[in-house]
């Protein structure tokens, strides 16, 4: 049973409106896309997520070096100092999301920053009415391992950046995830499939704030027009700069 849920605040009509808004300002979008596009599927889904909290600790060993050059009389001397650097550190994290539905993982569902802890409320079954609810297919233990990998990557990057030398390479590291806790949650997402001229385009709409992610069709004619305009502008700029360079050279010779 889920512990927390973010209720849908974007219904179907608001979702479609959010999608249409997302098409504005896209210069490469075909002009007839809005008129000819057809909605083939629009599914409101509560996607299960594990939210992982814990502390990651680690010991790191780096090789590092600094190089500089000095001028001595008639020659340049290059000096390189080499170092062995160790770091011991720990860092805590909260609400690290891991998708609990393997099918959704395969669709590469992103979790946007809008899904903050403040958006969650205690779970009630009434929220699920009218929406699809996939079963949990990623275990809590597997979620902890996935969270450890993601947290480790960010943690290791921050430790690496703390080594202030010109060249730094990692020789060895050991990291551990300690005191992990996990919370079963549900997040609202709209899955939207749009058909346009024989092709299907998939979009994901955040059911909390209406944010849209996905790939849009590109008009070949408009793309060629933009490329042509850029090429023409580049040619004019080259001719203009060529005239300036020519004039500078003539001035140098007093012509």
């Amino acid at each position: 049973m889920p512990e927390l849920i973010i209720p849908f605040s974007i219904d179907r009509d608001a979702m479609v409106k959010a999608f249409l808004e997302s098409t504005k300002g896209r210069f490469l979008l075909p002009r007839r896309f809005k008129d000819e596009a057809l909605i083939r599927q629009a599914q409101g889904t509560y996607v299960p997520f594990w939210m992982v909290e814990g502390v990651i600790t680690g010991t790191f060993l780096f090789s590092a070096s600094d190089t500089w050059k000095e001028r001595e009389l008639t020659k340049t001397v290059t000096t390189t100092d080499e170092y062995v650097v160790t770091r011991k550190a720990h860092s805590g994290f909260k609400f690290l999301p891991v998708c609990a539905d393997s099918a959704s993982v395969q669709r590469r569902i992103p979790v946007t920053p809008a899904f903050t802890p403040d958006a969650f409320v205690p779970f009630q079954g009434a929220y699920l009415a009218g929406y699809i609810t996939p079963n949990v297919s990623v275990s809590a233990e597997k979620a902890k391992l996935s969270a450890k990998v993601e947290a480790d990557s960010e943690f290791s990057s921050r430790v690496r950046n703390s080594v202030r030398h010109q060249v730094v390479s990692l020789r060895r590291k050991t990291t551990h995830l300690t005191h992990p806790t996990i919370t079963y949650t549900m997040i609202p997402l709209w899955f939207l499939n749009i058909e346009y001229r024989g092709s299907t385009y998939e979009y994901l709409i955040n059911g909390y704030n209406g944010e849209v992610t996905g790939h849009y069709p590109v008009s070949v004619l408009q793309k060629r027009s933009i490329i042509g305009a850029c090429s023409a502008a580049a040619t004019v700029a080259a001719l203009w700069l060529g005239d300036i360079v020519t004039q500078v050279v003539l001035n140098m010779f007093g012509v």
Side-chain angles (χ1 to χ4, degrees), residues 74-135:
T74 60
K75 63 179 181 179
T76 300
V77 178
T78 300
T79 303
T80 299
D81 288 339
E82 297 184 346
Y83 308 89
V84 175
V85 182
T86 60
R87 289 284 191 273
K88 291 184 179 180
H90 68 276
S91 178
F93 60 90
K94 295 182 178 180
F95 265 73
L96 182 62
V98 178
C99 188
D101 174 32
S102 58
S104 297
V105 171
Q106 293 175 359
R107 297 173 79 165
R108 300 179 180 179
I109 287 181
V111 176
T112 69
F115 291 137
T116 62
D118 293 341
F120 287 91
V121 299
F123 175 78
Q124 294 181 27
Y127 287 123
L128 305 182
Y131 297 103
I132 295 174
T133 55
N135 293 324

Side-chain angles (χ1 to χ4, degrees), residues 52 96-98 138 141-152:
V52 187
L96 182 62
V98 178
V138 176
E141 289 305 313
K142 187 174 181 180
K144 290 178 183 179
L145 293 176
S146 297
K148 197 263 185 183
V149 171
E150 185 172 345
D152 182 279

Side-chain angles (χ1 to χ4, degrees), residues 78-211:
T78 300
T79 303
T80 299
D81 288 339
E82 297 184 346
Y83 308 89
V84 175
V85 182
T86 60
R87 289 284 191 273
K88 291 184 179 180
H90 68 276
S91 178
F93 60 90
K94 295 182 178 180
F95 265 73
L96 182 62
V98 178
C99 188
D101 174 32
S102 58
S104 297
V105 171
Q106 293 175 359
R107 297 173 79 165
R108 300 179 180 179
I109 287 181
V111 176
T112 69
F115 291 137
T116 62
D118 293 341
F120 287 91
V121 299
F123 175 78
Q124 294 181 27
Y127 287 123
L128 305 182
Y131 297 103
I132 295 174
T133 55
N135 293 324
V136 172
S137 53
V138 176
S139 68
E141 289 305 313
K142 187 174 181 180
K144 290 178 183 179
L145 293 176
S146 297
K148 197 263 185 183
V149 171
E150 185 172 345
D152 182 279
S153 177
E154 182 180 350
F155 174 61
S156 298
S157 178
R158 284 191 279 116
V159 174
R160 159 64 179 79
N161 292 336
S162 73
V163 182
R164 305 294 186 178
H165 292 285
Q166 294 176 353
V167 178
V168 180
S169 60
L170 177 65
R171 292 171 58 178
R172 185 172 64 252
K173 77 171 183 178
T174 303
T175 58
H176 301 281
L177 176 62
T178 59
H179 310 299
T181 59
I182 197 161
T183 304
Y184 176 21
T185 69
M186 305 197 87
I187 287 177
L189 296 170
W190 282 99
F191 292 90
L192 178 65
N193 288 352
I194 298 291
E195 184 178 311
Y196 175 70
R197 296 190 176 182
S199 297
T200 299
Y201 298 86
E202 296 185 351
Y203 300 92
L204 190 70
I205 293 90
N206 185 319
Y208 175 66
N209 68 354
E211 185 177 65

